[in-house]
């Protein structure tokens, strides 16, 4: 299949502000949302995604397609699985059918099999329901055929969707396991199959923790705790909209065990409801404490048993109104996730996938004392993303704040600040530039951060119209879209209310 475009690098004609990201995937001139069918096969990462092939707002849901060898440079391809007069093609997953259990390929040349949600239209006998269907590829994911026997699994439900399928190997044998959702019941439903065509019900999980909106896009996978293969825990990811901790869309997770039939969450992953029936969302486990990381799922078949996730970098509160054209909406950076002991409990840590050779920093600072002062840093560069890596001892300072994509004179900027009194890290975009396109966009997101022997550790990626913050080695993550005014490229760090020591700070342009 002929490639249609290579991921552009901030083409000036895209918007008046030239804000197409450099490192984050966007479609050339259409709408995208949830990542779908993430799979690694024959040395290539495949990113499929919800796509409107005809416009830059939601609709005509089909699977778009892009490929990469490094998770940073993406090539866009024609639509992979298209909607038709009977169905929209909603979210799902892809597996490499190594054993040819489906019969779509051969033992020597296994097929890629997509399991997706058919959202049936009036032209279908299944109108008004959602069910799970199959498509398959025998040319390494470049062309797809829908299975004639679709749908393969239904529940006579209008909101049964988003199947994530994986191969389970356990004491009772091997099988395919599907995790999907009854979205409006806040339930994850599990099924198993020998051949991907015939499915048997296993169990149900939920409602639990954040359950004030629809549950969507689940994922279930094992991870070793602290890299110990003899200590395996299972992670259940459940995205929710609305009702996330920062408002609107977001992704929560549970740590627990899976026995091939049922997922059981650890008690320390569950937050009991208060007396009035509400749940303290800040006690739940979140993939990201920002406003713009949703529908996150992980790659199937990733090499080296790596667990790599990508999320949609947007929020349904304002998704269709983002001030970009002709493209609208993009993906997060890929993140490698691991399970580490944090305060005695297994918790996810996340690291962004960045270029192997980031080049020389534009500026490096070591052991600098700042007392109620501002330090100017290198500006962000047009056509480049900016990587800020910092280790700071807040000391007696009340706040340490980075101003990102700021105007000269300090009139506008996105502000990332640590408050020593509350031990909270806040990403504030209320005065970041263009916020008026939707009344829910201007916001400030925060998360509790525990210092490591008094040290605040930050890795910040600023990419034209986004800020992703990985704090304390990835134990806390905040991600927000921002739309700075033209020419706003300034970067500085400000210390107020005392003295802080910059142990190390490096600013690097990533092109």
């Amino acid at each position: 299949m002929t490639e249609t475009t290579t991921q552009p690098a901030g083409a000036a004609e895209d918007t008046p502000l030239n804000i197409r990201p450099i490192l984050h995937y966007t479609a050339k001139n259409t709408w995208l949302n949830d990542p779908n069918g993430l799979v690694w096969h024959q040395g290539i990462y495949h990113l499929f995604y919800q796509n409107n092939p005809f416009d830059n707002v939601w609709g005509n849901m089909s699977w778009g397609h892009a490929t990469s060898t490094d998770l940073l440079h993406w090539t866009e391809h024609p639509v992979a699985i298209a909607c038709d007069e009977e169905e929209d093609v909603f979210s799902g997953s892809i597996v490499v059918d190594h054993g040819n259990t489906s019969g779509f390929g051969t033992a020597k040349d296994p097929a890629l099999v997509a399991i997706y949600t058919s959202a049936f239209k009036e032209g279908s006998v299944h109108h008004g329901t959602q069910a799970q269907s199959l498509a398959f590829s025998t040319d390494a994911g470049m062309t797809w055929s829908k299975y004639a026997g679709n749908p393969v699994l239904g529940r006579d439900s209008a909101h049964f969707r988003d199947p994530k399928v994986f191969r389970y190997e356990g004491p009772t044998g091997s099988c395919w396991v599907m995790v999907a959702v009854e979205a409006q019941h806040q339930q994850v439903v599990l099924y198993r199959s020998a051949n991907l065509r015939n499915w048997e019900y296993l169990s149900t999980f939920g409602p639990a923790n954040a359950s004030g909106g629809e549950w969507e896009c689940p994922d279930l996978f094992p991870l070793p705790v602290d890299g110990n293969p003899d200590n395996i825990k299972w992670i259940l990811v459940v995205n929710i909209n609305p009702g996330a901790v920062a408002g609107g869309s977001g992704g929560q997770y549970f740590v627990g065990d899976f026995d091939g039939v049922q997922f059981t969450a650890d008690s320390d992953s569950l937050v009991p409801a208060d007396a009035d029936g509400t749940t303290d969302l800040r006690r739940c486990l979140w993939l990201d404490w920002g406003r713009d990381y949703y529908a996150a799922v992980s790659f199937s078949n990733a090499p080296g048993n790596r667990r790599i996730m990508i999320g949609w970098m947007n929020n349904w509160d304002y998704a269709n109104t983002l001030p970009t054209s002709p493209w609208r909406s993009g993906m997060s950076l890929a993140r490698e996730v691991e399970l580490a002991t944090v305060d005695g409990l297994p918790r996810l840590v996340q690291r962004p996938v960045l270029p192997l050779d980031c080049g020389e920093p534009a500026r490096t600072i070591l052991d600098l004392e700042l007392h109620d002062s501002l330090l100017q840093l290198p500006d962000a560069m047009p056509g480049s993303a900016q990587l800020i890596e910092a280790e700071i001892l807040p000391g007696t300072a009340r706040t340490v704040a980075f101003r990102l994509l700021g105007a000269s004179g300090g009139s506008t900027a996105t502000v990332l600040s640590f408050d020593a009194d509350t031990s909270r890290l806040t990403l504030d975009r209320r005065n970041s530039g263009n916020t008026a396109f939707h009344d829910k966009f201007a916001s400030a997101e925060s998360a509790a951060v525990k210092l490591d022997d008094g040290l605040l550790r930050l890795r910040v990626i600023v990419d034209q119209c986004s800020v992703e913050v990985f704090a304390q080695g990835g134990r806390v993550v905040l991600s927000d879209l921002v739309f700075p005014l033209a020419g706003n490229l300034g970067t500085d760090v400000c210390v107020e209310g005392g003295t802080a020591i910059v142990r190390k700070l490096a600013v690097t342009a990533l092109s």
Side-chain angles (χ1 to χ4, degrees):
M1 181 174 289
T2 303
E3 297 175 358
T4 58
T5 181
T6 298
Q7 171 68 6
E13 68 272 21
D14 291 335
T15 71
L17 302 183
N18 188 22
I19 55 175
R20 188 190 286 267
I22 306 304
L23 300 179
H24 297 67
Y25 177 76
T26 58
K28 180 182 179 181
N29 56 11
T30 57
W31 162 274
L32 63 77
N33 57 287
D34 305 359
N36 298 155
L38 306 185
V39 65
W40 182 86
H41 185 55
Q42 296 179 354
I44 295 174
Y45 292 95
H46 292 262
L47 166 64
F48 298 85
Y49 50 89
Q50 293 285 274
N51 178 233
N52 182 349
F54 311 113
D55 205 345
N56 69 352
V57 293
W58 187 91
N60 308 301
M61 282 296 96
S62 304
W63 276 26
H65 184 202
T67 55
S68 175
T69 58
D70 62 1
L71 297 168
L72 290 164
H73 300 83
W74 293 96
T75 298
E76 184 176 346
H77 302 281
V79 168
I81 307 175
C83 63
D84 57 32
E85 65 279 2
E86 292 197 357
E87 68 175 10
D88 279 323
V89 180
F90 278 15
S91 294
S93 54
I94 290 174
V95 297
V96 183
D97 188 9
H98 291 291
N100 194 33
T101 62
S102 64
F104 293 139
T106 66
K108 184 178 180 180
D109 191 12
L112 297 182
V113 181
I115 308 91
Y116 68 89
T117 295
S118 294
F120 290 109
K121 301 177 181 178
E122 291 185 4
S124 168
V125 296
H126 305 288
H127 169 60
T129 67
Q130 296 178 356
Q132 312 323 315
S133 296
L134 304 180
F136 60 93
S137 172
T138 56
D139 62 356
M142 301 312 294
T143 60
W144 292 83
S145 301
K146 294 180 180 179
Y147 174 47
N150 285 339
V152 297
L153 176 62
R155 291 167 57 99
D156 194 28
S157 167
H159 302 282
F160 171 46
R161 59 178 177 265
D162 305 343
K164 179 62 186 291
V165 173
F166 63 94
R167 190 70 179 171
Y168 176 76
E169 309 283 347
T172 58
S174 302
C175 64
W176 297 106
V177 172
M178 176 195 297
V179 288
V181 292
E182 280 288 355
Q184 294 195 349
H185 295 294
Q186 294 79 40
Q187 292 179 325
V188 173
V189 289
L190 289 86
Y191 288 79
R192 69 181 170 197
S193 174
N195 58 14
L196 296 170
R197 305 184 191 208
N198 307 106
W199 293 90
E200 173 190 358
Y201 171 76
L202 290 174
S203 61
T204 296
F205 174 85
N209 290 9
S211 53
E214 292 191 349
W215 278 16
E216 295 189 310
C217 303
D219 200 352
L220 181 62
F221 50 83
L223 285 175
V225 181
D226 300 321
N228 181 1
D230 296 323
N231 186 11
I232 300 294
K233 301 295 291 185
W234 285 76
I235 305 299
L236 175 64
V237 172
V238 185
N239 291 272
I240 183 171
N241 175 63
V245 65
S249 315
Q252 63 180 325
Y253 72 94
F254 302 84
V255 182
D257 296 294
F258 179 61
D259 61 4
V261 175
Q262 188 165 358
F263 173 81
T264 303
D266 291 349
S267 59
D268 55 69
S269 282
L270 298 173
V271 179
D274 296 332
D276 60 359
T278 61
T279 299
D280 183 354
L281 297 181
R282 290 200 171 275
R283 296 177 59 196
C284 301
L285 303 178
W286 295 96
L287 295 173
D288 197 297
W289 294 81
R291 288 275 276 158
D292 296 308
Y293 188 73
Y294 186 62
V297 289
S298 65
F299 276 88
S300 298
N301 203 50
N305 292 319
R306 298 170 70 195
R307 186 61 53 177
I308 301 168
M309 302 186 76
I310 290 178
W312 178 44
M313 202 160 190
N314 207 336
N315 191 304
W316 280 118
D317 277 353
Y318 41 75
N320 283 284
T321 62
L322 297 185
T324 62
S325 180
W327 62 281
R328 182 173 281 126
S329 209
M331 296 301 175
S332 73
L333 289 175
R335 302 176 180 182
E336 185 161 4
V337 298
E338 296 176 347
L339 201 55
T341 301
V342 178
D343 295 331
L345 298 172
R347 296 292 183 259
L348 286 183
V349 295
Q350 305 175 65
R351 294 195 307 273
V353 174
L354 296 172
L356 292 176
D357 182 8
C358 293
E360 289 297 318
R363 185 174 184 184
T364 301
I365 298 167
L366 298 174
D367 297 320
L368 176 65
E369 185 175 289
L370 293 176
H371 177 76
D372 282 326
S373 57
L374 181 145
L375 175 66
Q376 196 70 43
L377 298 174
D379 286 355
M381 298 292 292
S384 296
Q386 187 180 47
L387 171 64
I388 301 171
E389 297 174 290
E391 295 182 359
I392 298 174
L393 287 167
T396 62
R398 183 176 65 254
T399 60
V400 177
F402 286 84
R403 295 175 66 258
L404 310 169
L405 299 174
S408 59
S411 56
T412 60
T414 299
V415 180
L416 174 66
S417 62
F418 176 74
D419 186 313
D421 291 337
T422 62
S423 293
R424 298 197 71 82
L425 186 68
T426 300
L427 186 57
D428 187 342
R429 64 181 180 188
R430 289 174 295 182
N431 194 32
S432 57
N434 184 359
T435 64
F437 60 88
H438 196 282
D439 60 8
K440 290 186 177 180
F441 185 78
S443 62
E445 286 67 63
S446 68
V449 169
K450 184 177 180 181
L451 300 182
D452 298 327
D453 296 324
L455 191 66
L456 176 66
R457 295 186 293 139
L458 298 172
R459 176 177 278 185
V460 184
I461 300 95
V462 182
D463 191 2
Q464 306 290 308
C465 62
S466 68
V467 178
E468 288 179 86
V469 181
F470 298 81
Q472 307 309 84
R475 298 202 300 267
V476 175
V477 186
L478 295 108
S479 300
D480 272 357
L481 293 173
V482 294
F483 297 99
L485 302 181
N488 283 19
L489 300 170
T491 307
D492 59 52
V493 59
C494 179
V495 171
E496 294 183 346
T499 300
I501 298 175
V502 179
R503 289 269 300 272
K504 181 178 180 180
L505 195 155
V507 181
T508 306
L510 304 176
S511 59

